[in-house]
Amino acid sequence: RVDCRARPTSPASPAMAGGVTIHIPDLPVLELVLMVISVLLLRILLVVQEGVQLLRDMHSKDETEPSSEKRRSLLPLSRQNRYSTEGTCQNDTGRNDTGSERSSIEQPARQLKMSAGHFAKCLVGAADVDVALFIAACEHLACKVLPLIGPFTLLSIREVHSNMKKIEHSFELAPVRYRSMRELLHAETAAGMHQPGGLIVDPSAAMGLLWARRGLQFWIFIFRELVAQHELRVSGSNAQPELSGLSESSSSRTGKLDNLKEVVERGYAASLQPYFGWLSNNSMSLALRAVPAEFPVLAPTMGELLEDLREWGDVLEELVERMAAMQQELDLEDKRKSI
């Protein structure tokens, strides 16, 4: 039997009008939005980097100097390929100066005398220090002098470069104005970077200069003590009659300054150890095990070496006195221990 009753019919959709069905899958809207945001952020970062580089190029062009030598003097040696990211000093050609490739011309050079000359140039007026020249002198000390003394200086060399980077961070904000160490320290203090009672923010130029001064005091003690011991031995041997040459001091016979290990240990106890924490103290203890018995002759003759040691100590003593006076005046003598 045929049912003739009318049945309700649904209106035909446009997709089914021609008998074709189209299925549209659900789109991951959240993932698409995050992808678009990531792409936009990446492009913004690239644009910002290009803009910063452009501003740096414009700034370097605007700061013209009367001569290329003066312009170069504003830059620390670490910005002149003197120090690589691997922590080794480099020569002017960019090659690592490992010691085995030193030319025969460099070996007899009086590097201590040259170092004293670099530090002497830092002294400005009666109580100030040129920051740019100070950084250059410290880099010369770390790259040209300390490696000649022995491998135990590696820790000191790394500390020098670490401190110079802290100083450069503030110095490069205004290389002309902040060539004055007093002005640089005063600017950080006026900006409220440091707290009363000598609580210095790290990293900062004040912290870099504080530890740089302590490191220099360490070497001043060593160099002066070596000279004093040598003079004492010589005077003692001259006061006694010679017995077949046996009364000569060991330094007189060998032409070197011996007893270096004991001098270095006492220098460390007098200058750095009071401010070293547990980790720093243990690192230094390991370094002290590699101290050689004798100080190398960093000059053609023993007499010239002693002269260079005295000159270096005299110049550096005046320098650290100026630095200490400025830091104490501005309440930047932080006596807390390191890690």
Side-chain angles (χ1 to χ4, degrees):
R1 193 170 62 177
V2 179
D3 190 355
C4 298
R5 290 177 300 176
R7 295 179 180 178
T9 58
S10 58
S13 62
M16 299 180 60
V20 179
T21 303
I22 300 176
H23 296 281
I24 302 176
D26 295 333
L27 297 177
V29 179
L30 181 60
E31 287 78 1
L32 288 176
V33 172
L34 292 177
M35 184 181 298
V36 172
I37 293 175
S38 300
V39 173
L40 292 176
L41 289 176
L42 179 60
R43 295 192 63 179
I44 292 173
L45 179 61
L46 294 176
V47 172
V48 170
Q49 289 179 344
E50 292 177 358
V52 171
Q53 186 62 41
L54 180 60
L55 289 175
R56 287 178 177 174
D57 294 340
M58 293 174 62
H59 184 67
S60 62
K61 291 180 180 179
D62 291 338
E63 286 190 351
T64 58
E65 296 291 345
S67 64
S68 59
E69 188 67 23
K70 185 175 180 180
R71 182 171 61 251
R72 181 178 176 83
S73 68
L74 286 175
L75 298 176
L77 290 182
S78 59
R79 294 291 184 264
Q80 301 170 21
N81 297 325
R82 294 288 185 179
Y83 187 67
S84 68
T85 56
E86 290 80 10
T88 56
C89 295
Q90 294 183 334
N91 54 28
D92 293 330
T93 61
R95 295 178 299 177
N96 289 342
D97 193 2
T98 59
S100 60
E101 298 182 358
R102 289 194 188 98
S103 65
S104 59
I105 298 178
E106 292 183 4
Q107 191 63 24
R110 299 172 67 175
Q111 293 291 350
L112 267 175
K113 186 175 184 64
M114 295 173 61
S115 176
H118 288 310
F119 281 110
K121 295 178 182 178
C122 302
L123 304 177
V124 179
D128 206 351
V129 178
D130 187 306
V131 175
L133 296 180
F134 176 78
I135 295 174
C138 289
E139 294 285 359
H140 176 269
L141 175 68
C143 292
K144 298 299 182 181
V145 179
L146 296 185
L148 301 177
I149 301 177
F152 79 96
T153 63
L154 179 60
L155 184 61
S156 297
I157 292 172
R158 291 181 176 177
E159 280 297 309
V160 170
H161 291 292
S162 175
N163 293 329
M164 294 308 105
K165 289 180 181 178
K166 294 177 182 179
I167 300 169
E168 291 170 12
H169 183 74
S170 294
F171 167 76
E172 291 177 348
L173 296 176
V176 177
R177 176 185 174 189
Y178 293 159
R179 289 198 73 159
S180 166
M181 186 175 293
R182 181 178 297 276
E183 185 68 25
L184 175 59
L185 292 174
H186 179 74
E188 284 194 347
T189 304
M193 289 183 60
H194 313 298
Q195 301 178 16
L199 302 181
I200 302 177
V201 171
D202 190 18
S204 65
M207 184 63 76
L209 289 169
L210 177 65
W211 280 103
R213 192 194 84 202
R214 290 170 177 170
L216 293 175
Q217 288 173 323
F218 170 65
W219 291 108
I220 291 173
F221 182 97
I222 293 173
F223 293 168
R224 287 201 177 282
E225 188 66 18
L226 288 172
V227 173
Q229 286 192 6
H230 177 80
E231 293 176 345
L232 182 61
R233 289 169 180 169
V234 171
S235 62
S237 63
N238 292 336
Q240 299 175 358
E242 288 194 21
L243 298 175
S244 302
L246 296 179
S247 62
E248 288 187 83
S249 64
S250 60
S251 60
S252 299
R253 294 194 304 270
T254 62
K256 290 188 177 182
L257 302 175
D258 56 6
N259 205 24
L260 178 59
K261 183 176 179 62
E262 179 185 344
V263 173
V264 171
E265 289 177 347
R266 289 195 286 115
Y268 170 62
S271 58
L272 295 175
Q273 191 174 24
Y275 307 104
F276 270 17
W278 182 86
L279 181 60
S280 300
N281 189 48
N282 280 273
S283 300
M284 191 64 180
S285 298
L286 292 175
L288 293 177
R289 296 180 182 179
V291 178
E294 299 174 342
F295 189 83
V297 181
L298 305 180
T301 66
M302 175 59 71
E304 290 174 325
L305 173 60
L306 294 172
E307 177 186 337
D308 295 346
L309 289 171
R310 292 189 192 96
E311 180 182 358
W312 198 93
D314 292 341
V315 172
L316 269 294
E317 194 163 291
E318 181 178 354
L319 173 63
V320 298
E321 285 178 359
R322 293 188 181 194
M323 295 176 65
M326 284 186 281
Q327 290 162 334
Q328 292 171 4
E329 177 185 342
L330 297 172
D331 194 18
L332 297 175
E333 191 70 23
D334 197 329
K335 296 184 179 181
R336 294 175 297 175
K337 289 190 175 185
S338 62
I339 57 174

